Amino acid sequence: MGLSGVASQKCISPPCGATFDVGEVLVACPKCGELLDVVYDWSKASPPSELRELEKYWTQRHNPLRFSGVWRFHDLLPFVDPDSVVTVGEGQTLLQQADGVAPFVGMKTGRLFLQYEGMNPSGSFKDNGMTAAFTHANNIGAKRAACASTGNTSASLAMYCSVTRAMRAVIFIGSGKISFGKLSQALDYGALTVQISGDFDDAMQRVKEICSRLGIYLVNSVNPFRLEGQKTIMFRVLESLGWRVPDWIVVPGGNLGNSSAFGKAFFELKQLGLIDRIPRLAVINAAGANTLYELFEKRGMRWKDGHGDPTLANGYFGELDSTGAKASTIASAIEINRPVNLMKCLRALDVCDGVVREVSDQQILDAKSQVGAGGMGCEPASAASVAGAKLLREEGVIGMDDEVVCILTGHLLKDPKATVAYHTTDQTEFDEVLGSRGVRRASFANRAVRVPNDLDEIIKAIQLYS
Ligand code: F0G
């Protein structure tokens, strides 16, 4: 791996705190079963003394390491020798000052920003983490890599395998729970696609068993290296703001990898003296997949320096099992009831004085249409962040003058079916796709105008509607 002595893996549970070499392939602490972190002995690494120093890499874009929006921050994730990084040019993303969307959220001009992670090569934020996990997998000589996925992780893994030819991708998806945009990526990239009868939570359980049985490298976000890559989303946000720390980061919550990674990023930047304050974090669940909201906001589950009460989560999961409750939301990417990074996310909420909210499918799709109408669009799950920011503004939790960054995790074209159904004039199509999800009104629908194939009629329609 190189860089021995700089990085190690460490159990996040303070009573355990066992450490392991970065060369080991682990997705849980072998001693106590908790999640693992990648930790650094910064005295042996070369972190910048101020964030602005990282700008020196901007002039080195001919070097793939520095072209990457992940690896140009290698100094802040030095778990691997820079020479052995696997990159496909991920992380060329954009922070947009979203003045067109701000009024919908209840914000003033210049205060709302949207971070477009759908601009990544596979169309979602997953590439940030995948390049890191894939690099680790390649360094330890893995020949096959697997994941369970609601679609974006699988598209990303499949793409890294097809572009680099370094490994074979094995992906697990639930039945009927994946948007066609994402499924088509996995198929086109040539991944072995295993569709099991069950949902994401079932697929996640199976893939862990299969990987340990067959010795396949697991790239889901239980893999601590994935989250190292995802820290860089926050580094790019700060970079785009001229290294200013915003007041709020708002992110959709599914498996809770992003929120966990963001908390770690800010904790480390503060520890290194590179920022003087940490932004607040808002994690937004879909109401039909609201485990974090239920545990954090309703049942008071907290990190408590790693001593939070796990019986709260176990009790809740027991209730889900006994009633046969399954996650259900139009935002299929975050249709997850058993988030694997729950404990790390609780830690992030603690570090970032965070809050959790849930939003309905109606709120998600209305927000999504506004991101499209005033910005560059996103997939349903991503719009949960904007719907959540609007809710927090209405509650007064986010203030009038706060600077807010919503993370748009995936590209608009990932799930065109939901978008077209929202804008359609066809009631049957609307009901089939959206009605069954409790969506009753396409409040901001931009309906196609139907006209006969007649010049006068077409001109009349254009004059009437434009
Ligand atoms: N947004 C999108 C577009 C996603 O694909 C996901 C997760 C999330 C948000 C949630 O992020 O897990 O870090 O809280 N998708 C995973 C997948 C589960 O398999 O593609 P998280």
Side-chain angles (χ1 to χ4, degrees):
M1 292 288 298
L3 297 186
S4 166
V6 173
S8 54
Q9 303 185 71
K10 184 173 183 200
C11 175
I12 66 164
S13 167
C16 174
T19 58
F20 307 91
D21 192 84
V22 274
E24 287 195 55
V25 180
L26 299 166
V27 288
C29 173
K31 298 211 165 124
C32 75
E34 249 310 345
L35 295 166
L36 296 166
D37 266 336
V38 179
V39 294
Y40 303 100
D41 178 348
W42 294 110
S43 69
K44 294 185 182 150
S46 320
S49 54
E50 55 171 342
L51 284 170
R52 219 163 273 287
E53 270 178 33
L54 294 164
E55 294 174 12
K56 65 178 179 243
Y57 299 128
W58 293 352
T59 58
Q60 299 170 20
R61 287 173 65 85
H62 55 278
N63 175 352
L65 186 81
R66 300 308 179 198
F67 177 76
S68 166
V70 171
W71 296 108
R72 72 168 175 269
F73 299 102
H74 177 268
D75 294 351
L76 296 170
L77 51 146
F79 67 82
V80 69
D81 193 312
D83 292 338
S84 59
V85 157
V86 182
T87 171
V88 302
E90 56 288 314
Q92 313 302 320
T93 61
L94 177 75
L95 184 76
Q96 176 203 32
Q97 182 178 311
D99 292 345
V101 187
F104 170 75
V105 177
M107 305 217 45
K108 287 190 204 152
T109 297
R111 306 311 283 167
L112 178 71
F113 293 81
L114 300 177
Q115 173 71 9
Y116 285 94
E117 286 300 314
M119 290 177 165
N120 272 292
S122 81
S124 86
F125 75 91
K126 300 288 180 182
D127 299 346
N128 292 285
M130 199 55 69
T131 183
F134 205 84
T135 290
H136 183 253
N138 198 41
N139 270 267
I140 58 100
K143 292 283 164 267
R144 286 182 298 185
C147 67
S149 184
T150 54
N152 279 328
T153 305
S154 48
S156 183
L157 172 63
M159 183 196 68
Y160 276 86
C161 287
S162 73
V163 173
T164 65
R165 315 230 139 244
M167 262 165 260
R168 173 96 165 112
V170 183
I171 65 165
F172 284 68
I173 53 175
S175 300
K177 298 284 185 183
I178 182 170
S179 74
F180 261 34
K182 300 171 190 180
L183 180 58
S184 57
Q185 287 182 286
L187 298 175
D188 230 26
Y189 292 137
L192 170 60
T193 305
V194 184
Q195 192 154 24
I196 68 158
S197 50
D199 63 8
F200 172 82
D201 293 316
D202 299 320
M204 187 68 233
Q205 185 57 37
R206 283 288 176 224
V207 78
K208 282 191 203 166
E209 290 167 23
I210 297 290
C211 285
S212 92
R213 183 85 73 88
L214 300 182
I216 302 178
Y217 189 94
L218 182 63
V219 298
N220 278 102
S221 54
V222 283
N223 179 319
F225 298 96
R226 267 274 307 271
L227 301 198
E228 289 309 289
Q230 285 170 220
K231 291 191 311 193
T232 66
I233 300 171
M234 290 301 102
F235 302 156
R236 294 198 300 276
V237 165
L238 297 186
E239 181 184 55
S240 301
L241 291 173
W243 308 111
R244 190 174 68 242
V245 178
D247 298 303
W248 285 93
I249 300 290
V250 190
V251 64
N255 233 354
L256 306 179
N258 258 344
S259 44
S260 300
F262 299 172
K264 187 172 189 283
F266 289 119
F267 178 81
E268 288 174 353
L269 291 180
K270 185 88 192 331
Q271 188 187 40
L272 288 166
L274 294 169
I275 53 175
D276 53 13
R277 71 184 177 93
I278 289 177
R280 295 191 69 187
L281 180 68
V283 185
I284 314 298
N285 273 165
N290 63 351
T291 295
L292 183 68
Y293 176 72
E294 182 68 32
L295 290 175
F296 185 81
E297 295 289 346
K298 295 278 192 62
R299 306 191 184 196
M301 188 173 182
R302 293 291 182 275
W303 167 243
K304 289 190 184 152
D305 289 330
H307 300 283
D309 183 1
T311 58
L312 285 172
N314 294 337
Y316 179 64
F317 295 140
E319 285 169 33
L320 291 179
D321 286 343
S322 65
T323 57
K326 293 283 179 193
S328 176
T329 167
I330 190 75
S332 58
I334 51 174
E335 195 177 57
I336 296 170
N337 264 348
R338 291 174 187 266
V340 294
N341 286 297
L342 176 63
M343 293 313 289
K344 280 188 178 177
C345 179
L346 291 176
R347 183 179 64 177
L349 289 164
D350 185 61
V351 166
C352 302
D353 188 16
V355 297
V356 182
R357 290 293 181 270
E358 60 170 359
V359 287
S360 67
D361 284 1
Q362 180 83 54
Q363 289 169 306
I364 288 174
L365 288 182
D366 287 343
K368 187 179 108 56
S369 76
Q370 293 304 285
V371 173
M376 285 173 271
C378 63
E379 69 164 288
S382 312
S385 63
V386 174
K390 177 177 163 61
L391 180 64
L392 289 164
R393 265 297 295 129
E394 283 161 4
E395 291 176 1
V397 176
I398 292 182
M400 273 295 271
D401 296 316
D402 287 351
E403 188 168 52
V404 177
V405 176
C406 292
I407 312 302
L408 298 183
T409 45
H411 198 280
L412 170 69
L413 297 177
K414 287 278 189 174
D415 192 357
K417 199 169 164 189
T419 308
V420 172
Y422 184 87
H423 292 293
T424 188
T425 43
D426 181 336
Q427 194 62 39
T428 313
E429 189 187 340
F430 182 92
D431 288 346
E432 253 173 34
V433 182
L434 304 179
S436 61
R437 304 291 191 167
V439 178
R440 295 278 160 255
R441 278 180 305 122
S443 317
F444 304 102
N446 177 25
R447 309 233 184 273
V449 178
R450 284 167 199 258
V451 279
N453 186 8
D454 175 279
L455 195 58
D456 291 338
E457 291 291 335
I458 295 170
I459 290 170
K460 217 193 303 172
I462 291 171
Q463 280 165 343
L464 186 64
Y465 291 106
S466 61

